[in-house]
């Protein structure tokens, strides 16, 4: 197994149904990783942790908001206390509060930037100290194609994900000499609970604009995260991989 004995902390992984974080947790667990599920909704984190354990894996659920530095530090400490190390951090936690720029409130801007960008900063800072001491580690950040091309009605979200891309590259330069790889994935339109709420004709219209003619799945994202978290990506850092069926191309 690719991740036998390694420990992976995944933020925002407590989503039920077709959440990307959940799929990443299950995929990494299937390759032997011990999984720490972090989420601000305890019941959601517990549910995914149980799912991992029901499939024969080891899992720990931790609770808190990545936007709060102390919560991020507590998540990392809980993982250390339970498993003794952290080998992989997947900064997956994210929210949307869509609105046109001229109608967007300061709260809508702040909430998205606090979770999507500051949250990555908080968790990366907390885990970097551990990985630097270990002289090894893999950090995978959840960006978005909207952070590359922008999207009307998502000034806050696009800005946060563009910030994640810049933070990924900077962190990769700072931590590379200590054996820590930092990369990002940039999903396009993925089949999640959010996209399933769209009208069917809208989903078909989006799919028609994608060269591969389909929306992605959470499992599509999880496979790339697994690659970046594994030794197969040991000479890859500071990169952003679009998982978008060719949409941005």
């Amino acid at each position: 197994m690719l991740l036998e004995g390694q420990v992976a902390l995944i933020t925002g992984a407590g989503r039920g149904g077709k959440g990307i974080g959940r799929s990443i947790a299950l995929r990494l667990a299937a390759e032997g990783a011990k999984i720490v599920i972090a989420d601000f909704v305890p019941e959601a984190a517990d549910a995914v942790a149980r799912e991992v354990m029901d499939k024969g894996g080891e899992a720990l659920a931790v609770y808190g908001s990545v936007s709060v530095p102390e919560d991020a530090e507590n998540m990392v400490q809980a993982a250390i206390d339970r498993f003794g190390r952290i080998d992989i951090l997947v900064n997956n936690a994210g929210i949307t509060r869509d609105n046109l720029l001229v109608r967007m409130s300061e709260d809508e801007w702040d909430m998205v930037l606090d979770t999507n960008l500051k949250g990555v900063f908080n968790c990366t800072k907390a885990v970097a100290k551990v990985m630097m001491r270990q002289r090894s580690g893999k950090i995978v950040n959840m960006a978005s194609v909207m952070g590359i091309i922008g999207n009307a009605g998502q000034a806050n979200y696009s800005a946060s994900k563009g910030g994640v891309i810049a933070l990924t590259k900077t962190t990769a330069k700072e931590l590379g000499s200590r054996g820590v790889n930092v990369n990002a994935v940039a999903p396009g339109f993925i089949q999640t609970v959010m996209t399933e709420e769209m009208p069917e004709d809208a989903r078909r219209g989006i799919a028609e604009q994608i060269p591969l003619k389909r929306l992605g799945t959470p499992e599509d994202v999880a496979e790339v995260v697994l690659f970046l978290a594994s030794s197969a990506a040991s000479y890859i850092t500071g990169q952003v991989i679009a998982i978008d069926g060719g949409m941005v191309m």
Side-chain angles (χ1 to χ4, degrees):
M1 290 189 283
L2 290 175
L3 305 177
E4 185 68 43
Q6 296 190 44
V7 178
L9 169 60
I10 307 167
T11 68
R15 298 293 181 264
K18 296 184 177 181
I20 291 173
R22 169 185 170 273
S23 292
I24 293 170
L26 293 174
R27 188 68 185 94
L28 269 55
E31 290 295 335
K34 301 169 185 177
I35 307 298
V36 180
I37 307 292
D39 204 280
F40 70 94
V41 180
E43 297 81 6
D46 289 340
V48 176
R50 281 196 302 271
E51 193 171 357
V52 170
M53 291 186 286
D54 288 345
K55 294 178 181 295
E58 291 187 59
L60 170 69
V62 296
Y63 322 124
S65 171
V66 296
S67 66
V68 179
E70 293 78 12
D71 284 4
E73 291 170 3
N74 289 339
M75 292 171 188
V76 171
Q77 190 59 52
I80 297 296
D81 291 344
R82 174 69 177 272
F83 297 117
R85 60 186 293 119
I86 298 180
D87 301 282
I88 300 158
L89 168 65
V90 182
N91 280 308
N92 171 75
I95 63 171
T96 57
R97 294 292 186 273
D98 296 350
N99 213 337
L100 293 174
L101 178 67
V102 295
R103 297 176 181 170
M104 186 173 291
S105 68
E106 185 177 357
D107 282 347
E108 288 171 331
W109 174 270
D110 288 345
M111 287 176 67
V112 171
L113 270 292
D114 280 352
T115 298
N116 297 7
L117 182 54
K118 184 181 177 183
V120 175
F121 165 76
N122 287 338
C123 293
T124 300
K125 183 177 180 180
V127 84
K129 301 169 188 175
V130 178
M131 291 183 173
M132 289 171 73
R133 285 196 299 269
Q134 294 173 175
R135 301 194 72 85
S136 67
K138 300 288 177 62
I139 299 173
V140 183
N141 296 328
M142 192 63 60
S144 168
V145 296
M146 301 315 170
I148 300 172
I149 61 175
N151 193 35
Q154 288 192 312
N156 48 5
Y157 184 79
S158 299
S160 73
K161 294 302 185 178
V164 167
I165 290 171
L167 181 58
T168 297
K169 294 176 181 292
T170 299
T171 310
K173 290 181 177 180
E174 291 190 6
L175 302 182
S177 64
R178 299 297 185 94
V180 180
N181 302 66
V182 188
N183 293 288
V185 295
F189 284 100
I190 306 297
Q191 294 174 21
T192 62
V193 172
M194 185 167 59
T195 57
E196 286 185 348
E197 292 174 353
M198 298 170 60
E200 177 62 30
D201 58 343
R203 289 202 302 273
R204 281 198 302 267
I206 291 170
E208 280 302 309
Q209 299 174 41
I210 298 171
L212 291 184
K213 302 301 180 185
R214 70 173 178 88
L215 273 62
T217 67
E219 290 73 23
D220 289 327
V221 179
E223 290 294 342
V224 181
V225 172
L226 170 62
F227 166 67
L228 292 173
S230 75
S231 60
S234 62
Y235 200 56
I236 299 174
T237 198
Q239 302 305 304
V240 182
I241 301 178
I243 309 170
D244 64 352
M247 185 180 74
V248 170
M249 172 184 69

